Amino acid sequence: MAELIKGETGDWEIVIGMEVHAQVVANSKLFSGASTEFGAAPNSQVSLVDAAMPGMLPVLNEYCVEQAVRTGLGLNAEIMHHSVFERKNYFYPDLPQGYQISQYQHPIVGKGVIEIDLPDGTIKEIGITRLHLEQDAGKSLHDQHPRKSFVDLNRSGCALMEIVSEPDIRGPEEATAYLSKLRMILRYLGTCNGNMEEGSMRADVNVSVRRPGEPLGTRCEIKNVNSVKAVQMAIDYEARRQVEIIEDGGKIDQETRLWDPAKGVTRSMRSKEEAHDYRYFPDPDLLPLDIKSEWIEEIRETLPELPDEKKKRFMADYGLSLYDATVLIAERARADFFETVATGRDAKLAANWVINELLGILNKDGKTLAESPVSAAQLGGLLDLILDDTISGKIAKDVFAEMYASGKDAADIVEEKGLKQVTDTGAIEKIVDEVIAENPDNVAAYKGGKDKLFGFFVGQVMKKTQGKANPAAVNALLKTKLG
Amino acid sequence: MSELNHLTLTEALEGLEKKDFTSVELTQAHIDACEAAKSLNAFVTTTYELAIEQAGASDKRRAEGKAGPLDGLPLAIKDLFCTKGVQTTASSRILEGFVPQYESTVTSNLFRDGAIMLGKTGMDEFAMGSSNTTSGYGNILSPWRSRSAPEKDLVPGGSSGGSAAIVAARAALGSTGTDTGGSIRQPAAFCGIAGIKPTYGRCSRWGVVAFASSLDQAGVFARTTRDCARLLKSAAGYDPKDSTSANLPVPDFESALKGDVRGLRIGIPKEYRVDGMPKEIENIWQQGIEWMKDAGAEIVDVSLPHTKYALPAYYIIAPAEASSNLARYDGVRYGKRIEGGNLKDLYELTRAAGFGDEVKRRIMIGTYVLSAGYYDAYYVKAQKVRNLIRQDFLNAYGQCDALLTPTAPSAAFAIGENEDDPIKMYLNDVFTVSVNLAGLPGMSVPAGLNADGLPLGLQVIGKHWDEETVFRVGDVIEQAANFKALPQSVLKKAA
């Protein structure tokens, strides 16, 4: 159910379309051989083409095209067999050519659709309008000198995919769900690392408001929204701003606005009248991009299992709950980790251990799965000890804590510390007898109907065996002996 | 020895092979001729020291039996080709002092084959012009003078005027040019030499300062078709750094010079008989047709019905591309920079000071035709016209193997003429621009002198990738015309 804004005069619906710029994972730039590594010294990854030296010409990087096609397939979108690179002309010092090579009338990817998961467990489809390839600009640094601006061209010419959604998103929750899902898909595909803080994924958000059921209102485009949280905050602010204006009898001007994360407001950047005339025209230095069906099919063959399919499979094959499956597929590495642990073992037990124990403590320590001291094979080893009754679930938690601290294998810890479960009924029977002998009052009370005291006897036996007694054997013996 | 600069490129190569003289001697003779022709202002930058050094190295290679196909031959390079370590200006003040750290593919190819560079020749600024009166480094003069008004300085044609003038002045054996709307063929005609613009995609554009990317094509000048064939063979070739370069083998153009056009069908496009065409142009064209007939070719009348739209379409497409290509000259990274109080001032002051009037005019036209609301009416329509023009040629080639036309609507005019109205100047390209719009190969060969003693050229237009037929026809015209006239400045010196 869409979130509505309660205004003075009634409810308002927020309508959102997103333009996400995703930097393509590739070793070199879209039209030059320069490296794309993040964080290199300023202007150290700039080819003659990136610096727009006279007479330099762009040559299309085939791998970037492959990545765009792969992304299009992952977005269930139509791959266009014919697309055209055009020049978007404007002057800025971090745009050395004086134009950005982009795709305009003929993008490489057409209409597609992705499913987003809403907090109430429902699924909603969000339409993808298009995906096109374009060059990134360089970076202007305005804070290095009192009067001058500096330009770093390392990013100039890096490949971006601009992914445009339909105005299908209603409210900040759906917007963040969309962004998260899109990022998840891109990461699964390996086509964008999705790091918003490094700028490798950036979002422009188009926001308008309307009365439910009425035609679309006038939209404002919000730029500089650089985290999932910022998306939520910017939409919240902007929608309320628009509602206030309309309710006060005003009109929304179509304009580009900037999100100011420090003040938590959007402010006007340029009006429709001030909008650039980009004078797009086909780049005569590049031929139209024609892609053969066979190549698209070859790329399709290399697609990994995507999050939605994986979630369905986890639920069907492993019997996991929607919640567990959703947590486990959030990252491809996490899902792979789970599957390694679950293979040949009790999958629900594996899911419990991965989610509640491992992810729990990693999250607490601020670590990623890649930094986990316990490998999937090691966690599987621990589960094996539980499943073959070598240790109890309770002991296993202690063993796990030790594994996490030391990186040792579970079997070694159990061996070293003598934590092996006592399954010898003779030995357990002896201790049961001791406990019964030492607590005549409680025995009498139990026999008198105080059933709850059963737990007390189990506890006493466990205490005497340092928790190593097999719980099932203890239960059975106590039941017999206490009648 | 003083006559070394009167040899053709082919003769000079024979002389080097026979050890009649060294490349150092040959090069020195041309340096002397360049100095003698200094008043033409053909060069933006001369590289004499480099030339002598290259010549010495060439002589060494030849002694070791490692000489390349152009080894030891002094050439002039249009200043639109980026040359590593040598200032490259495109005859614009905005690039004054710009020294590329890279070598264009075409010049790399020529140097690979042993060519020697005398210097960088001037042109109309950014190759925009037909007269060489728009250079940021002063007018370039033709070595020719008319009989009726010998006191008047004449234009060498443009844009590759410096390259044409210096070859006509016997101060370089050959030169490179670029041709966007006639910039090789028209100056070749005005200067009485041969010049070929090959098929679009035959020569790499990598390292050539861009004017209009979809039309620009590098080519060569020399005094004979054979010399041109040799130069083009070296200059051309596939280059993966240019996406519009064709991955096709380069034929041995010279072997196409059979001295014979029997069996060839030569098309005469009726639309090229434009209103008000001077009698002398019509006569030389008719003369060319007679030569072809005499040599056994079949003359076919053909129609290129959209010809009259070529010039307007060209003057939309070329400025549109130029307005974008020249955006990079902003004073931020290289070339001229005039500091201003803010970014907008920096751009405006730099570009106002760096670009000349013609460049500014074309940037404005180009910006206009690409603007919202005008794009469809101008740019899109011009592209449609371009397709029709291309189709005209393809249709005509159903009936003929090559076309014969005049190169330009007049002989060279005096400096200052045609300056009052840019359209008048643009009309100089009336016979040449269609060839660029269609991406075809075209060549101008000297065919005779007009009554005033000035050279006139004939243009041969071929099918895509069929420079061989162009050379074959050009060679027969050359033989029939037997053009031996020398520019007055060269004659005076010889006397």
Side-chain angles (χ1 to χ4, degrees):
Chain A
M1 186 58 210
E3 305 151 78
L4 296 175
I5 295 188
K6 297 246 177 277
E8 300 275 323
T9 58
D11 286 350
W12 295 88
E13 185 180 41
I14 313 172
V15 177
I16 299 160
M18 299 245 261
E19 290 167 23
V20 171
H21 289 87
Q23 190 180 322
V24 175
V25 172
N27 293 327
S28 51
K29 297 183 178 180
L30 184 53
F31 297 110
S32 85
S35 167
T36 56
E37 203 184 320
F38 179 78
N43 295 313
S44 63
Q45 297 180 163
V46 185
S47 75
L48 296 166
V49 175
D50 307 324
M53 300 304 278
M56 291 300 99
L57 298 171
V59 176
L60 183 58
N61 179 340
E62 187 182 316
Y63 185 68
C64 293
V65 176
E66 185 182 325
Q67 290 285 61
V69 170
R70 184 171 287 124
T71 305
L73 293 171
L75 301 176
N76 310 301
E78 184 188 3
I79 308 301
M80 310 309 269
H81 289 87
H82 178 82
S83 65
V84 176
F85 286 100
E86 304 206 26
R87 293 185 182 177
K88 178 181 181 178
N89 294 282
Y90 67 96
F91 282 92
Y92 206 66
D94 60 22
L95 187 74
Q97 293 165 140
Y99 55 84
Q100 177 194 32
I101 306 176
S102 181
Q103 294 186 308
Y104 186 53
Q105 292 193 5
H106 305 281
I108 184 167
V109 176
K111 284 194 182 303
V113 65
I114 66 172
E115 290 180 351
I116 60 168
D117 307 287
L118 299 175
D120 65 0
T122 57
I123 284 170
K124 178 173 175 175
E125 286 194 345
I126 304 292
I128 301 292
T129 312
R130 59 184 280 166
L131 174 155
H132 69 251
L133 274 170
E134 64 184 25
Q135 292 177 302
D136 207 345
K139 208 157 91 183
S140 293
L141 308 165
H142 301 295
D143 53 0
Q144 309 284 308
H145 186 277
R147 279 183 43 256
K148 293 180 180 177
S149 290
F150 292 173
V151 176
D152 177 4
L153 294 180
N154 281 355
R155 216 177 57 188
S156 165
C158 283
L160 292 180
M161 297 180 285
E162 180 173 325
I163 303 165
V164 182
S165 85
E166 295 286 313
D168 289 347
I169 302 165
R170 302 282 176 271
E173 254 183 14
E174 289 189 13
T176 54
Y178 170 77
L179 201 56
S180 305
K181 187 57 172 286
L182 183 61
R183 181 164 62 176
M184 194 194 296
I185 293 171
L186 297 178
R187 283 176 168 167
Y188 261 70
L189 293 166
T191 56
C192 172
N193 68 29
N195 293 336
M196 293 187 85
E197 59 281 8
E198 286 177 6
S200 39
M201 192 166 150
R202 310 193 281 274
D204 297 341
V205 190
N206 286 289
V207 179
S208 65
V209 297
R210 66 173 174 190
R211 299 288 188 190
E214 286 191 358
L216 291 176
T218 304
R219 70 192 154 87
C220 292
E221 180 181 358
I222 312 169
K223 290 194 175 285
N224 195 37
V225 199
N226 292 331
S227 69
V228 175
K229 188 154 173 271
V231 166
Q232 181 163 359
M233 291 168 66
I235 293 169
D236 261 330
Y237 176 87
E238 177 62 19
R240 283 177 199 288
R241 185 188 74 87
Q242 293 186 12
V243 165
E244 272 175 35
I245 290 174
I246 300 170
E247 292 198 328
D248 286 352
K251 254 185 68 198
I252 303 301
D253 295 322
Q254 186 174 335
E255 60 179 354
T256 304
R257 299 179 68 84
L258 204 66
W259 171 243
D260 181 339
K263 297 202 176 80
V265 300
T266 65
R267 52 188 160 81
S268 184
M269 204 170 128
R270 55 174 178 258
S271 71
K272 196 182 175 188
E273 287 70 35
E274 293 166 304
H276 293 296
D277 181 349
Y278 290 119
R279 291 169 282 121
Y280 280 98
F281 73 105
D283 191 330
D285 287 333
L286 292 160
L287 303 171
L289 176 57
D290 290 306
I291 301 179
K292 289 201 172 77
S293 302
E294 298 86 72
W295 193 53
I296 297 171
E297 291 315 308
E298 274 174 39
I299 295 168
R300 197 192 297 278
E301 297 288 307
T302 69
L303 285 191
E305 183 182 34
L306 290 170
D308 290 335
E309 303 164 41
K310 202 182 278 289
K311 184 163 69 185
K312 282 174 199 147
R313 182 168 63 82
F314 278 14
M315 290 168 72
D317 291 5
Y318 296 121
L320 299 186
S321 67
L322 172 65
Y323 175 81
D324 283 358
T326 305
V327 172
L328 290 173
I329 57 102
E331 288 171 21
R332 195 169 155 183
R334 185 186 291 183
D336 290 347
F337 191 101
F338 160 73
E339 288 212 84
T340 307
V341 178
T343 302
R345 303 190 178 98
D346 181 331
K348 283 187 189 170
L349 186 68
N352 266 333
W353 275 87
V354 171
I355 295 169
N356 299 323
E357 304 305 323
L358 182 61
L359 293 179
I361 190 160
L362 286 173
N363 194 35
K364 204 177 106 212
D365 291 356
K367 286 185 176 170
T368 66
L369 190 59
E371 296 163 327
S372 169
V374 180
S375 72
Q378 285 176 308
L379 185 58
L382 177 64
L383 264 57
D384 287 341
L385 297 180
I386 300 170
L387 291 165
D388 69 6
D389 285 340
T390 306
I391 55 173
S392 67
K394 190 163 176 302
I395 291 285
K397 292 194 181 180
D398 300 336
V399 174
F400 175 75
E402 180 68 24
M403 290 168 77
Y404 188 83
S406 67
K408 285 185 189 166
D409 283 350
D412 293 343
I413 293 168
V414 169
E415 191 65 46
E416 276 168 30
K417 304 215 159 174
L419 297 174
K420 206 165 173 211
Q421 184 164 252
V422 180
T423 45
D424 173 356
T425 42
I428 297 172
E429 189 174 359
K430 205 175 136 225
I431 291 165
V432 168
D433 289 342
E434 274 176 39
V435 168
I436 290 174
E438 285 163 13
N439 296 284
D441 296 351
N442 281 339
V443 172
Y446 178 78
K447 287 190 171 166
K450 254 188 142 184
D451 290 353
K452 276 188 184 163
L453 278 170
F454 190 75
F456 164 80
F457 294 107
V458 174
Q460 289 299 308
V461 175
M462 284 300 180
K463 201 172 165 192
K464 281 183 181 279
T465 60
Q466 288 109 49
K468 289 184 287 187
N470 181 311
V474 172
N475 283 356
L477 280 166
L478 277 171
K479 281 233 160 86
T480 317
K481 300 260 175 190
L482 292 170
Chain B
M1 278 306 167
S2 68
E3 293 298 310
L4 287 184
N5 60 312
H6 281 258
L7 300 173
T8 65
L9 182 144
T10 302
E11 290 164 352
L13 197 58
E14 282 168 14
L16 288 171
E17 280 164 0
K18 286 195 284 181
K19 312 248 185 302
D20 290 347
F21 45 83
T22 65
S23 172
V24 170
E25 289 165 335
L26 180 69
T27 302
Q28 189 58 53
H30 282 89
I31 291 171
D32 294 346
C34 286
E35 283 299 284
K38 216 166 176 179
S39 61
L40 303 182
N41 191 35
F43 289 103
V44 178
T45 307
T46 54
T47 54
Y48 299 152
E49 277 180 31
L50 173 72
I52 291 295
E53 202 179 294
Q54 287 176 328
S58 168
D59 285 331
K60 207 163 149 247
R61 280 195 299 274
R62 194 170 292 286
E64 291 165 358
K66 292 177 187 160
L70 299 178
D71 227 303
L73 303 174
L75 306 178
I77 303 298
K78 188 178 184 182
D79 208 17
L80 207 61
F81 293 84
C82 289
T83 41
K84 190 173 182 175
V86 176
Q87 177 185 245
T88 300
T89 68
S91 276
S92 179
R93 287 291 170 187
I94 210 157
L95 277 173
E96 192 170 6
F98 172 67
V99 179
Q101 297 307 302
Y102 47 94
E103 189 72 46
S104 82
T105 300
V106 163
T107 47
S108 291
N109 290 346
L110 295 172
F111 295 149
R112 172 202 65 206
D113 286 354
I116 282 154
M117 178 167 77
L118 293 163
K120 306 291 294 290
T121 57
M123 71 198 84
D124 284 299
E125 185 179 4
F126 280 107
M128 297 176 188
S130 311
S131 61
N132 262 279
T133 51
T134 76
S135 166
Y137 301 83
N139 295 340
I140 295 166
L141 312 187
S142 169
W144 294 85
R145 287 183 180 275
S146 72
R147 283 182 198 131
S148 61
E151 73 288 355
K152 279 191 179 168
D153 289 333
L154 301 182
V155 304
S159 68
S160 313
S163 279
I166 207 71
V167 171
R170 272 60 185 171
L173 290 169
S175 58
T176 63
T178 61
D179 189 318
T180 305
S183 283
I184 288 175
R185 290 158 290 158
Q186 185 250 24
F190 279 17
C191 289
I193 61 172
I196 182 163
K197 174 205 102 71
T199 311
Y200 183 81
R202 182 66 94 183
C203 289
S204 169
R205 292 185 297 113
W206 193 87
V208 183
V209 175
F211 161 17
S213 313
S214 74
L215 300 159
D216 294 346
Q217 182 55 211
V220 296
F221 293 99
R223 291 191 290 270
T224 69
T225 50
R226 183 172 303 276
D227 291 357
C228 282
R230 290 189 170 197
L231 285 173
L232 188 61
K233 168 79 181 164
S234 287
Y238 173 60
D239 180 4
K241 289 185 290 187
D242 174 0
S243 308
T244 61
S245 154
N247 193 357
L248 292 171
V250 179
D252 178 15
F253 299 123
E254 200 179 353
S255 65
L257 306 178
K258 298 191 177 89
D260 175 13
V261 287
R262 272 176 299 177
L264 276 186
R265 295 166 306 163
I266 303 299
I268 308 299
K270 66 176 184 193
E271 289 79 6
Y272 280 50
R273 290 189 196 282
V274 291
D275 286 345
M277 184 194 272
K279 193 81 188 133
E280 63 189 30
I281 300 296
E282 211 174 310
N283 289 346
I284 200 78
W285 193 7
Q286 195 52 47
Q287 179 65 69
I289 292 168
E290 298 305 324
W291 286 332
M292 284 291 108
K293 277 189 195 158
D294 294 348
E298 184 192 340
I299 300 299
V300 188
D301 287 322
V302 297
S303 174
L304 301 169
H306 297 94
T307 297
K308 66 178 168 184
Y309 303 113
L311 211 50
Y314 173 85
Y315 275 98
I316 289 168
I317 293 168
E321 294 182 9
S323 70
S324 177
N325 281 335
L326 270 58
R328 65 188 57 199
Y329 308 107
D330 56 6
V332 174
R333 297 171 312 288
Y334 50 77
K336 187 182 277 300
R337 174 187 184 118
I338 311 284
E339 295 289 350
N342 56 42
L343 181 62
K344 198 162 158 255
D345 286 352
L346 169 77
Y347 285 151
E348 290 180 358
L349 295 173
T350 299
R351 289 167 69 85
F355 291 139
D357 288 348
E358 184 61 27
V359 170
K360 286 175 190 164
R361 180 181 293 126
R362 297 203 195 188
I363 289 174
M364 285 189 280
I365 294 171
T367 303
Y368 179 80
V369 299
L370 290 176
S371 296
Y374 301 97
Y375 181 79
D376 288 338
Y378 291 102
Y379 184 79
V380 171
K381 188 161 269 183
Q383 290 294 358
K384 288 179 184 164
V385 169
R386 184 177 187 170
N387 284 336
L388 293 172
I389 285 167
R390 186 185 156 89
Q391 197 53 52
D392 279 357
F393 279 104
L394 297 180
N395 293 344
Y397 286 133
Q399 302 159 258
C400 65
D401 303 301
L403 299 162
L404 182 69
T405 78
T407 307
S410 73
F413 45 88
I415 285 178
E417 275 177 39
N418 295 331
E419 297 276 324
D420 51 331
D421 178 359
I423 303 290
K424 253 179 163 173
M425 191 67 91
Y426 297 169
L427 281 170
N428 256 283
D429 303 330
V430 66
F431 300 133
T432 47
V433 292
S434 299
V435 174
N436 299 78
L437 290 169
L440 298 166
M443 184 177 199
S444 180
V445 285
L449 297 176
N450 70 1
D452 227 356
L454 295 178
L456 298 173
L458 284 173
Q459 175 178 231
V460 184
I461 306 168
K463 298 175 182 175
H464 289 110
W465 313 114
D466 188 18
E467 289 86 358
E468 287 162 287
T469 299
V470 174
F471 277 120
R472 185 175 161 195
V473 174
D475 174 50
V476 167
I477 294 171
E478 185 176 275
Q479 288 176 28
N482 193 27
F483 187 88
K484 296 288 181 206
L486 282 173
Q488 289 76 349
S489 62
V490 178
L491 279 173
K492 215 182 289 168
K493 193 176 161 271

